[in-house]
Amino acid sequence: MPKRPEYAQAIIQAWRDQLLDDLQDVVMPWGAKECPAAQSADRPTPYQLIRLAETFFNGLPPDQMPDMENLSKEIGVSRRSLFRAFQEHLGLGPRRYFELKRLNMLRRDLKAHAPDETTVTDLALKNGFVQFGRLSQLYKNQFGELPSTTLRTRSN
């Protein structure tokens, strides 16, 4: 397959980033009060479980990934119920969801800073990544470029 010109890759990446931002509102509609799934019930709906897990995740220090056992105990369901809620409604498990969430937060930080303001290491640590080799691989698989490339090609 022929290599795409650099400008085409930039356009594709910008489109992908915009799509990810737009999909966040679609994927997580339960934050809206008018969403019927956000209404309270005797047994939490899968949307409520995901929302509770999201709240728990947001309360953790950036360098700590949620432990699924503690997470499920914290929100009062079994690990299996929690996993099923994520799998059925988001198409991935909770650990992968939170990993992708952190990757996207890192990408936004990388795009918001200039290379002379910070380093990939500083921003990676801020977003909870400590295994830099694994981070580079995850990031490249997700976004098609290394974190350092994103930092160098900062969008204004």
Side-chain angles (χ1 to χ4, degrees), residues 52-63:
L52 289 168
E54 180 81 18
T55 301
F56 181 78
F57 171 81
N58 290 337
L60 291 175
D63 61 343

Side-chain angles (χ1 to χ4, degrees), residues 3-4 7 15 32 98 108-110 116 121 132 134 137 140 146 148-149:
K3 185 169 168 74
R4 291 185 182 117
Y7 70 88
W15 177 82
F98 292 122
R108 285 190 185 122
D109 283 350
L110 289 167
D116 59 343
T121 302
F132 302 117
R134 183 169 184 273
Q137 182 181 7
K140 186 168 185 174
L146 292 172
S148 57
T149 305

Side-chain angles (χ1 to χ4, degrees), residues 30-83:
W30 50 85
K33 292 181 182 175
E34 63 275 359
C35 178
Q39 306 298 325
S40 63
D42 292 340
R43 194 177 81 178
T45 67
Y47 290 115
Q48 289 170 326
L49 292 179
I50 294 168
R51 186 67 184 149
L52 289 168
E54 180 81 18
T55 301
F56 181 78
F57 171 81
N58 290 337
L60 291 175
D63 61 343
Q64 185 180 350
M65 272 299 268
D67 172 53
M68 294 307 112
E69 188 67 37
N70 289 339
L71 177 58
S72 59
K73 283 180 185 175
E74 183 70 28
I75 61 178
V77 296
S78 68
R79 286 181 64 184
R80 184 175 181 195
S81 294
L82 181 64
F83 183 83

